[in-house]
Amino acid sequence: MNISHIEHLGIAVKSIEACLPYYEQVLGLKCYNIEVVEDQKVKTAFLKVGQTKIELLEPTSEESTIAKFIEKKGEGIHHIAFAVPDVAEALAEVESKGVQLIDKVPRGGAEGLNIAFLHPKSTCSVLTEFCDNK
Ligand code: ZN
């Protein structure tokens, strides 16, 4: 495993519009992209903190896993994403170490990244994502 850095932190919010003033006006970060990821039924907003991003996730449908997360746990940190050189290789490695996967193969995420999620059952309850930008 060769994790280079935390690529982003995913934070579930009910409304990006309502939360952006905190991140931009209070913390002084800058939102540089807002994007809807249709297959995940979320709207995402990205802010940079050094090499790491904060990804605000707003559900666009009641069916969204983010909507279900907020319903169950409230708004807050949803997942941590690690940058790896190759998502498929990283998945194979952790699977060989007994980690349960949500995504057996990488899929396309926001910003053109290849992403895959590991199951929280195997990650001390923190939903964990790998991403690369191959
Ligand atoms: Zn993510």
Side-chain angles (χ1 to χ4, degrees):
M1 186 62 48
N2 191 8
I3 291 170
S4 55
H5 61 284
I6 294 173
E7 213 283 334
H8 63 269
L9 283 176
I11 300 177
V13 299
K14 289 179 185 164
S15 162
I16 284 173
E17 198 191 350
C19 288
L20 270 185
Y22 165 67
Y23 288 97
E24 294 196 301
Q25 286 155 37
V26 179
L27 298 185
L29 303 175
K30 197 169 165 13
C31 174
Y32 65 90
N33 187 25
I34 292 184
E35 180 179 343
V36 173
V37 183
E38 294 291 353
D39 74 323
Q40 288 173 62
K41 300 185 176 73
V42 288
K43 186 163 134 185
T44 59
F46 290 92
L47 304 102
K48 246 181 198 150
V49 189
Q51 207 181 354
T52 300
K53 298 159 194 162
I54 288 175
E55 178 186 42
L56 302 178
L57 299 155
E58 174 190 320
T60 55
S61 150
E62 293 290 303
E63 308 293 293
S64 166
T65 55
I66 298 300
K68 288 171 188 157
F69 176 89
I70 290 172
E71 200 177 297
K72 228 165 108 185
K73 299 190 174 174
E75 295 175 293
I77 293 181
H78 177 260
H79 66 273
I80 184 168
F82 294 115
V84 296
D86 185 295
V87 172
E89 272 175 29
L91 285 179
E93 183 177 337
V94 296
E95 193 172 30
S96 78
K97 291 176 177 169
V99 170
Q100 197 180 323
L101 306 179
I102 292 175
D103 298 303
K104 295 261 180 196
V105 291
R107 58 186 163 94
E111 299 201 300
L113 297 175
N114 298 304
I115 66 160
F117 284 95
L118 315 185
H119 200 288
K121 271 186 197 160
S122 300
T123 61
C124 299
S125 300
V126 176
L127 180 60
T128 299
E129 177 183 353
F130 286 152
C131 38
D132 71 43
N133 58 0
K134 284 195 164 176

